[in-house]
């Protein structure tokens, strides 16, 4: 599973966090899936139209955009990558990390992340891999994806 570490930027509350490639729908995008494909290409150099095989669309997640109170809908798409493992990141990405699916699903690799908010500290569920911590929306998406493969075998995801 490919994760990116977002580039560190002042004013970005998720600066430096682990995430999936993605971004905003642009007027030229024919659909949310087209936006996901375009953003993945821009951020990682991975052409999903050419080397990806669409597997599934996960549930929409509602969040807010950075410091704004206006809600934002995140629509995750899952692809099987059939191209080279090399990744060419752009300025929005600090690094890319490939994490084995069986590692992500193992109970031993689940933990908690203390996240300070203006209202207090929350202990958020997370998965740690080497020096990376996957939490928040990315963790929620990951958990839904893992639930599609109850035996934690990624091949069963392909059947959906």
């Amino acid at each position: 599973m490919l994760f990116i570490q977002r580039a560190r930027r002042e004013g970005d509350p998720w600066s430096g966090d682990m995430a999936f490639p993605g971004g905003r729908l642009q007027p030229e995008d024919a659909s949310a899936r087209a936006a996901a494909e375009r953003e993945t290409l821009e951020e990682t150099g991975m052409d999903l139209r050419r080397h990806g095989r669409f597997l599934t669309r996960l549930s929409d997640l509602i969040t807010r955009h950075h410091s704004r109170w206006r809600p934002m809908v995140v629509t995750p798409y899952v692809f099987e990558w059939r191209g080279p493992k090399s990744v060419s990141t752009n300025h929005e990405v600090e690094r890319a990390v490939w994490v084995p699916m069986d590692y992500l699903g193992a109970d031993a690799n689940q933990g908690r992340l203390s996240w300070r908010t203006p209202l207090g500290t929350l202990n958020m569920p997370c998965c740690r891999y080497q020096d990376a911590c996957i939490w928040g929306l990315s963790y929620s998406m990951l958990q839904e994806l893992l639930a599609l493969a109850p035996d934690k075998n990624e091949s069963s995801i392909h059947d959906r």
Side-chain angles (χ1 to χ4, degrees), residues 11-140:
D12 179 355
W14 296 283
S15 178
D17 280 358
M18 298 305 291
F20 293 110
R24 302 182 102 176
L25 187 68
Q26 298 296 328
E28 65 271 13
D29 294 322
S31 64
R33 179 174 157 180
E37 292 168 345
R38 176 186 52 76
E39 287 283 351
T40 300
L41 181 60
E42 289 175 5
E43 293 179 0
T44 68
M46 298 171 72
D47 189 343
L48 293 173
R49 291 184 185 124
R50 186 171 171 204
H51 296 291
R53 181 176 144 237
F54 174 73
L55 297 179
T56 192
R57 176 181 181 254
L58 301 177
S59 301
D60 287 345
L61 298 166
I62 298 177
T63 187
R64 64 182 179 89
H65 183 265
H66 299 287
S67 61
R68 300 179 197 160
W69 289 105
R70 187 177 63 179
M72 177 175 68
V73 177
V74 177
T75 305
Y77 293 88
V78 180
F79 290 81
E80 176 185 13
W81 180 245
R82 295 178 167 186
K85 287 254 183 175
S86 61
V87 177
S88 177
T89 61
N90 73 1
H91 67 280
E92 298 174 79
V93 178
E94 191 168 310
R95 68 180 175 144
V97 180
W98 289 98
V99 184
M101 286 286 287
D102 58 345
Y103 184 95
L104 294 166
D107 291 339
N109 301 321
Q110 308 311 303
R112 304 301 257 179
L113 172 72
S114 293
W115 185 50
R116 292 185 349 173
T117 74
L119 302 175
T121 301
L122 301 173
N123 288 310
M124 305 295 289
C126 70
C127 179
R128 296 184 185 277
Y129 180 74
Q130 297 173 357
D131 64 341
C133 182
I134 301 156
W135 70 287
L137 287 178
S138 298
Y139 186 80
S140 296

